[in-house]
Amino acid sequence: MKHFRGAIFVSILALIIAYIYGGMTALVLAAILGVMEISLSFDNAIVNARILERMSYKWREVFLTVGMLIAVLGMRFLFPLLVVSISAHLNPIDALMLAMAKGDPSQPGTYAYILNHAHPMIAAFGGMFLLMLALDFFFDFQVVHWLGFPEKILRKIGRFPAATSLCSLILLLILSHFVAKDSFLVLFSGLIGIVLYLAVQGLGHLMAQHGTLAEVEEELENSNSKQSTPPVLLTGKAAFGLFLYLEMIDASFSFDGAIGAFAITPDPIIIMLGLGFIGAMFVRSLTIFLVEKGTLNELIYLEHGAHWAILILAILLLLSIAIEIPEIITGVLGAIIIGCSLISSLFYNRKSRR
């Protein structure tokens, strides 16, 4: 339980603040949003854990502190304000006043209505980012396969140069031309998602490579007599690059929940308390738990299940440009896929022991 003490404390504090802010109704809504965020974010925690296990203990603390502030204030509070500001041509202060005024989400001009109206752009951006994340995993060489046939097919496609970017661009062109009502905005937003993914991933790889080489050389100089050295945990520029990459992935996972929360309440304070302080803190604690317990190495198919859940989430996000898809479908499908990969991993371990 030591990994979740902080999350429990923050959740209790958030519920108390919600009660002071809006009474029992606000407390219940914040609790519902927190549970929704946790249920939708198991795949997020698994992917985050795989990246975080390469970073030093100091940077893991940064992920829990600075990263938490980015998740709460950035994605659950400032990001919706920014979207409303751009969509309604308002300055951030006016957007904040509009948010605090609440109003009926079905009425034009209200905060929730404007944000829902901008959903196709957000879905195109987040969907393309997550799609490239999932395809990069399946197109890369994998020692083991969970779903043998489809993963082997994807691996063969991945042998083609720049397969991830090419497949993502083709899908984006099809969506913007045949599915989206406002093809230009969807195309533009999707391209931003692709460019940002490539830029952040490239920056992370450059910094990680530079930092790893420097630290390995230093390690070898200090221990020439040793036959082998332990795995190097990244620090400095290398860890900072991975931290940026990690935050972008975390932000992309937040789009669906941040927009879907307005179906429950348009109040940005309750959304920040529920999604941010309760949901995001539990997801971060779960990430640290997975890293320190080595769960991903013990359950070999869990990472595959998480990336299949990400691929489905990306497809559902892109389809939501034209079709309304309830968040419960995304959460249930993701949970079923990850649950199946967990069961498959346990059977594999039992078979291996025999």
Side-chain angles (χ1 to χ4, degrees), residues 24 74 101 121 139 157 173 191 195 197 247 273 339:
M24 186 57 68
M121 294 181 291
F139 286 172
I157 297 173
L173 288 172
L191 285 175
V195 170
Y197 177 83
E247 288 302 315
L273 291 171

Side-chain angles (χ1 to χ4, degrees), residues 170-215:
I170 291 173
L171 181 59
L172 179 60
L173 288 172
I174 294 172
L175 282 171
S176 61
H177 185 74
F178 295 104
V179 177
K181 294 180 180 179
D182 195 332
S183 58
F184 174 77
L185 286 177
V186 169
L187 180 62
F188 182 73
S189 302
L191 285 175
I192 292 177
I194 292 174
V195 170
L196 192 60
Y197 177 83
L198 293 173
V200 174
Q201 188 190 48
L203 179 64
H205 282 325
L206 282 176
M207 287 186 169
Q209 185 181 33
H210 173 74
T212 302
L213 291 175
E215 290 172 12

